[in-house]
Every structure is written in C-alpha cells, then in structure tokens.
Amino acid sequence: MAVLALVIAAATVVVLIVLSRRAGQRLQQFERLPMQYDFSGHPTWYAPRRIALGFTPVLAGVTLTGTAAIPLFAGEPMTGRGAAIFLGVVVLSAVFWLATHAGQLWMQDRWARKQG
C-alpha cells in the first residue's frame, strides 16, 4: 500500500516538473510570471520565473510524499476499507495538484499572450 502511494506521489511530481519545464521554455522571455490573480483575471503579484514554475511541484512533492508515507509510520498495516480510503486520498490529492498546476500554467500562458 505505501509503495503504491509513493509511486503515485512520485509520478505526479514528475508530471508536474515536466509541465513546468515545458512552460519554462514557452515563457523564457519573461523574467517574472504572475502567481496570483484578482477576480477579473488580472495578476496581483509576480515571482521570478523559476520560483513561479517550481513552487507547485515542490509543494506537491512535500505534501504528497508526506501523505503517501503515513503507512510507513503507522503502528499497524493498513488493510481493507481503510487502505482503500487512504489510497483514494492519495489519488485525489494527486489529481488536485495536477489540476491546480495545469490551471496556473494556463493562466500564465493566457497572461503571456496578452503581453504581445
């Protein structure tokens, strides 16, 4: 169970890194990228490109790995329904991070197209 959860976490982080690297190539002409937007879609603050593209993969790596490693530190092995629920939490967390990062990259691409 823990091994599968760690594999899901690692695969998710690899996908996030690949997405960031591709975005970095597309957005290399910008020193800073938007990190947050107001309700009308306008950026409210910016970060250096490497930080903007690396923030989500790092944060996802820390949280997903920490969550996936929980069974390694539990006193008893997870089995049955508890194991299924745990794996579901890891999968949903991975999907959340992928969707969040894809949304952020989409907003950054949209902003970049408006810049000319």
Side-chain angles (χ1 to χ4, degrees):
M1 176 61 56
V3 173
L4 180 57
L6 288 168
V7 168
I8 291 168
T12 301
V13 172
V14 167
V15 170
L16 294 174
I17 290 169
V18 168
L19 291 172
S20 286
R21 297 216 35 159
R22 287 179 151 181
Q25 292 169 350
R26 284 191 315 272
L27 302 169
Q28 65 186 346
Q29 70 270 28
F30 300 104
E31 286 185 35
R32 300 175 72 76
L33 295 173
M35 288 293 290
Q36 187 175 8
Y37 305 85
D38 61 20
F39 288 113
S40 63
H42 297 99
T44 58
W45 67 278
Y46 300 79
R49 185 178 59 250
R50 289 184 64 165
I51 292 173
L53 297 174
F55 182 78
T56 303
V58 169
L59 188 58
V62 169
T63 61
L64 275 174
T65 303
T67 302
I70 288 173
L72 299 175
F73 302 105
E76 301 176 14
M78 286 189 186
T79 57
R81 185 171 175 155
I85 291 171
F86 170 74
L87 197 55
V89 167
V90 172
V91 169
L92 284 175
S93 297
V95 170
F96 165 81
W97 283 115
L98 291 167
T100 299
H101 196 49
Q104 176 71 7
L105 296 177
W106 177 78
M107 291 289 287
Q108 289 171 341
D109 283 336
R110 189 174 138 221
W111 169 84
R113 283 191 301 276
K114 291 181 180 180
Q115 303 309 303

